[in-house]
Structure formats: structure tokens, C-alpha cells
């Protein structure tokens, strides 16, 4: 499977995907890393792995729809069949999301549908949660919604600060994102009635509809 990865920053999830595709029997090939930020560290990771990169700066466009159309053009030119958002910090327009429907996935550092949006670890701590986690899901028009493919849970520990908790969650992100990509590459994932099915059975997540 040909994969495009969209980033805005550090790119540690991109690295997890790069590492997984380079294993024998990997899920495919990353054909493009696209960043909206010119100095995103993830671009260096892509270059080190010999993956083509493109920078499309959202500030060069009049509005979200034309920015997103430029991204679609670049992704299509790469031949990618699956688009992975990996710390891509721009909201996407409905035409983009509809165009890539069920071929566009995201990783989010919470147990969706809880804690959509930003600053998740601090909000989880402030709420006194005992458990945190991360989610890979298909992308729908509303932010951080869409059929859930896979989740991982981690404990919140008594002396956690936001950075400690974020690091514990991130470790699991690096496990479940490559897993989700493999499941899709193996043709084991479908979406029916906004529910993710894996091997024709509902995905094993408590709330399948984000
Ligand atoms: C990750 O924690 C990812 O879940 C989060 O940004 C971080 C990117 O890190 N994404 C979101 O919050 C999207 N709503 P990375 O650049 O090292 O992969």
C-alpha cells in the first residue's frame, strides 16, 4: 500500500510508521511526507529515510479549501492510497475529508470520544482521570471524530505531570498507529454504518463511534 503522512512538527509517529514499513513484511511504502510547516523536524526524519517530502504552507493560501486542494493534488500525484495524519495540526475542510473518506486516518492522544482538541494530558490530569490513552480513527468532518480503529490505554499515575503522561501515551501511539496501518494494508478494515469492522467484526473498542 502506498502511504502519505501529513505532519506539522516533531514527527515521532511518522518515525514509528517509517520504522514499521521498513521491516520485512511491512505494510507498504511511504511515498510522501507532507508538512505545512517548513522547519518541522519530521521532514528531517523523512529525508533520512529517503522519502520524498513536500512543504505546503497554509499561510500561502487564501482559505482552507484552496490549501486543502493543493494538498490533495500533491497526495494524488504521489499515488498514495492511504493518508495518515501524524501530528498534523490544521483543521481540514469538508471537501478534503469527503475526498479521502475512509482513506484518511488520524492519531489522537486520548480515548476518543473523550478529550477531543488540544492540551489533552493537562485536561486529563485536571479532571482526576485514572486512565488515559490514544486512538486511531477514520477522519470525519467534525474535529477528532470518526469510526475508531484501535485504542490503547495507559494508567494515570499519582505523581504524573502533563509531560510524563503525554510521554506514556505517546509510547502507545507508536504501537497502535503502525498496527492500524497494517490492518488497513492487509484489507482487514471496513467501515459500515460509521462503525469500524476488523475481519468483519466490530473493532474491539468500548465506544466504536467517535
Ligand atoms: C501526537 O501526540 C498526536 O497524537 C497529536 O500530536 C502529537 C504529534 O506528535 N495529535 C493531535 O493532537 C491531533 N489532534 P509527533 O509529531 O511526535 O507524532
Amino acid at each position: 500500500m502506498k502511504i502519505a503522512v501529513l505532519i506539522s512538527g516533531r514527527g515521532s509517529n511518522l518515525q514509528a510508521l517509517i520504522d514499521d514499513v521498513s521491516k520485512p513484511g511491512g505494510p507498504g511504502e511511504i511515498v510522501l511526507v507532507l508538512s505545512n510547516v517548513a522547519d518541522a523536524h519530521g521532514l528531517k526524519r523523512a529525508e533520512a529515510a529517503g522519502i520524498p517530502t513536500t512543504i505546503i504552507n497554509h499561510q500561502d493560501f487564501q482559505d482552507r479549501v484552496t490549501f486543502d486542494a493543493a494538498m490533495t493534488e500533491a497526495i494524488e500525484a504521489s499515488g498514495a492510497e492511504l493518508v495518515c495524519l501524524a501530528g498534523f495540526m490544521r483543521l481540514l475542510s469538508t471537501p478534503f475529508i469527503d475526498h479521502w473518506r475512509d482513506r484518511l486516518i488520524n492519531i489522537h492522544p486520548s480515548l476518543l470520544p473523550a478529550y477531543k482538541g488540544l492540551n489533552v494530558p493537562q485536561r486529563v490530569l485536571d479532571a482526576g482521570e485514572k486512565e488515559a490513552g490514544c486512538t486511531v480513527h477514520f477522519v470525519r468532518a467534525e474535529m477528532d471524530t470518526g469510526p475508531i480503529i484501535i485504542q490503547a490505554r495507559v494508567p494515570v499515575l499519582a505523581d504524573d505531570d502533563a509531560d510524563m503522561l503525554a510521554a506514556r501515551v505517546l509510547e502507545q501511539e507508536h504501537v497502535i498507529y503502525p498496527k492500524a496501518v497494517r490492518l488497513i494494508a492487509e484489507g482487514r478494515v471496513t467501515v459500515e454504518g460509521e462503525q469500524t469492522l476488523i475481519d468483519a467484526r466490530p473493532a474491539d473498542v468500548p465506544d466504536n463511534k467517535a
Side-chain angles (χ1 to χ4, degrees):
M1 189 176 58
K2 292 184 176 178
I3 303 161
V5 184
L6 273 50
I7 62 166
S8 297
R10 178 177 59 182
S12 72
N13 277 292
L14 164 66
Q15 189 67 56
L17 296 175
I18 290 173
D19 293 347
D20 198 54
V21 295
S22 61
K23 285 179 191 155
E29 185 192 356
I30 302 176
V31 292
L32 175 69
V33 170
L34 190 162
S35 174
N36 67 311
V37 176
D39 62 354
H41 180 66
L43 289 168
K44 295 200 174 65
R45 298 177 188 267
E47 281 154 20
I51 299 167
T53 60
T54 304
I55 298 160
I56 301 183
N57 185 341
H58 56 279
Q59 291 165 334
D60 294 341
F61 296 83
Q62 281 191 339
D63 55 39
R64 213 177 277 288
V65 172
T66 49
F67 166 61
D68 287 359
M71 289 202 297
T72 288
E73 204 178 307
I75 297 165
E76 289 202 320
S78 78
E81 300 148 276
L82 177 72
V83 181
C84 299
L85 305 178
F88 182 74
M89 301 313 261
R90 301 290 304 168
L91 290 175
L92 294 164
S93 62
T94 305
F96 183 91
I97 289 169
D98 288 349
H99 181 87
W100 295 104
R101 189 180 173 92
D102 297 343
R103 298 180 293 160
L104 173 64
I105 63 176
N106 180 44
I107 184 141
H108 182 75
S110 79
L111 294 169
L112 290 173
Y115 299 100
K116 297 169 182 169
L118 299 175
N119 302 321
V120 176
Q122 190 58 54
R123 287 161 53 213
V124 166
L125 291 177
D126 291 347
E129 302 283 0
K130 296 282 173 278
E131 199 173 47
C134 47
T135 302
V136 180
H137 64 100
F138 288 103
V139 174
R140 294 293 185 260
E142 262 179 75
M143 183 188 63
D144 297 329
T145 65
I148 292 173
I149 303 163
I150 188 167
Q151 289 185 319
R153 294 165 177 271
V154 301
V156 178
L157 303 181
D159 60 352
D160 270 351
D161 62 23
D163 287 346
M164 291 160 71
L165 179 56
R168 194 174 307 119
V169 171
L170 190 65
E171 209 174 292
Q172 291 306 310
E173 293 184 38
H174 298 162
V175 175
I176 67 169
Y177 215 0
K179 250 190 205 172
V181 169
R182 276 188 184 241
L183 286 169
I184 293 168
E186 289 163 3
R188 297 169 62 189
V189 181
T190 51
V191 179
E192 260 178 42
E194 290 304 83
Q195 252 213 342
T196 304
L197 304 182
I198 298 174
D199 298 331
R201 284 187 295 273
D204 183 21
V205 289
D207 186 342
N208 195 247
K209 291 183 184 182

